[in-house]
Amino acid sequence: MLIRDEVEREELGKSSLAETAAGSEDARSSQVGHSHSGPPEVVQYELHGTQVFAAHGEYDPASITLLANALRSAAEKYPRVVVDTTAVSFADSTFLNLLLNIHHTTDLRVVAPPAQLRRLLEVTGADTVLKVLADLEDATS
């Protein structure tokens, strides 16, 4: 799993655009808002004074550690933490448990969960406990 800051995020966007021009199917998918598959990646940045973590990829017990460490660290430092889950291609109970634990430490907001994660939140009732929002503007305002 990679954790990138805002500067690296800009560079990633530029390289993704170059890959798109070259015909990379993965880059095309990420450019049109489809899930990112493969190793998890987290992009961390600040928006409207709020720490945002954009999670990409699949999360299970084998891949959750770096995201967990990043969110725990942020939860200790910031009164509000946002997790943008738009590009999460798979999340199991490990991911859900992490969100619930962080929720007890800070004002956690979960943004735009894809269908699989939304279903997990609904089936477990976590959507009634967590602040699940449609977009970043709502989550960071």
Side-chain angles (χ1 to χ4, degrees):
M1 175 188 306
L2 301 172
I3 298 180
R4 300 179 186 269
D5 63 17
E6 191 169 356
V7 172
E8 290 175 329
R9 181 175 180 226
E10 289 175 17
E11 291 173 5
L12 177 65
K14 290 176 187 172
S15 67
S16 291
L17 289 174
E19 289 174 10
T20 300
S24 168
E25 186 173 331
D26 289 339
R28 275 195 306 271
S29 294
S30 67
Q31 291 301 314
V32 295
H34 289 89
S35 299
H36 170 86
S37 61
E41 177 181 22
V42 179
V43 179
Q44 179 182 359
Y45 59 98
E46 186 176 309
L47 181 64
H48 306 298
T50 301
Q51 289 300 303
V52 177
F53 293 83
H56 301 263
E58 301 177 357
Y59 291 93
D60 59 25
S63 62
I64 199 77
T65 303
L66 289 177
L67 175 62
N69 291 342
L71 289 178
R72 286 183 187 119
S73 177
E76 292 173 2
K77 297 176 188 171
Y78 303 102
R80 180 186 306 156
V81 175
V82 172
V83 179
D84 181 352
T85 61
T86 306
V88 171
S89 56
F90 174 80
D92 69 3
S93 62
T94 308
F95 187 83
L96 178 61
N97 191 35
L98 173 62
L99 295 179
L100 291 168
N101 285 327
I102 297 300
H103 160 75
H104 291 294
T105 310
T106 191
D107 178 9
L108 177 70
R109 297 168 183 214
V110 180
V111 175
Q116 184 268 326
L117 179 55
R118 191 173 340 106
R119 181 74 178 134
L120 178 63
L121 294 170
E122 291 168 355
V123 167
T124 61
D127 62 330
T128 64
V129 175
L130 298 171
K131 293 178 183 173
V132 180
L133 302 159
D135 59 54
L136 279 172
E137 281 302 314
D138 289 341
T140 58
S141 59

